[in-house]
Amino acid sequence: MLQDLQRHHPSRKIHWTAMDDEQRRHAAKQLAGVDGLHMVVIGTPVPPRRQERARALCLARLVVELHGAGVDTLILEARHKVQDAGDVRTVAGVRHAALPRGTRFHVDHCPGTHEVLLAAADITAGACRADRLGQAEYRDVLADRIYDVCLDTGC
């Protein structure tokens, strides 16, 4: 399903912000039809100068939630090498400080154009953000498939 959606995007990467309302509705409906649960950590506030700090806090909470659900591998969309290394450090810190001793939890990065499953995360995050901005229709379509955690970043 995601590969089919991806074929209609010229960059070969599904990106919520590049979609119009009709494409967003279609993407949300398609994703809602796929079994599975999408975990989202929604951190607020996220001031522009503290985005990486807020991201690290959200990522740390996501790792704990994923571990609790039996997940041991997380694939994130690659950004810049320095930022990706920060994500790896965050996950290592969580593994050491918040997960049981000996826990195996791995994080890796790949370009969004190389892993179509990253589109599910983009659609889910986009729908949750739209909901926060007053457009609940996309989030409502995915409601049964989303497990979201709200986090005060203190940033």
Side-chain angles (χ1 to χ4, degrees):
M1 180 277 301
L2 290 170
Q3 288 173 334
D4 185 51
L5 284 175
Q6 191 175 41
R7 276 192 271 283
H8 301 301
H9 290 270
S11 68
R12 288 291 185 223
K13 178 184 164 219
I14 295 171
H15 203 286
W16 183 264
T17 59
M19 293 182 196
D20 61 30
D21 288 339
E22 183 178 331
Q23 291 170 320
R24 289 174 178 176
R25 275 191 291 280
H26 178 70
K29 285 178 185 173
Q30 291 293 101
L31 189 57
V34 177
D35 284 340
L37 186 65
H38 307 287
M39 288 190 180
V40 181
V41 176
I42 302 167
T44 57
V46 182
R49 291 186 175 160
R50 304 281 294 175
Q51 286 183 356
E52 287 303 309
R53 172 73 177 139
R55 177 186 172 91
L57 293 167
C58 290
L59 178 58
R61 178 64 184 266
L62 181 61
V63 168
V64 171
E65 295 290 336
L66 289 171
H67 171 72
V71 174
D72 64 6
T73 302
L74 174 61
I75 307 297
L76 297 173
E77 186 167 349
R79 299 182 300 150
H80 297 288
K81 287 184 182 186
V82 171
Q83 293 169 320
D84 292 352
D87 291 342
V88 171
R89 281 191 305 276
T90 296
V91 171
V94 172
R95 192 175 54 240
H96 176 72
L99 301 182
R101 184 181 299 265
T103 295
R104 303 185 100 215
F105 194 98
H106 177 73
V107 63
D108 203 358
H109 295 82
C110 74
T113 54
H114 289 102
E115 179 52 71
V116 71
L117 290 175
L118 290 171
D122 190 73
I123 293 165
T124 303
C128 289
R129 183 170 191 277
D131 182 47
R132 292 287 177 134
L133 296 174
Q135 288 184 290
E137 68 176 298
Y138 313 114
R139 169 72 171 75
D140 290 348
V141 169
L142 291 166
D144 294 340
R145 300 276 182 231
I146 294 179
Y147 170 74
D148 56 0
V149 175
C150 295
L151 177 71
D152 180 354
T153 65
C155 292

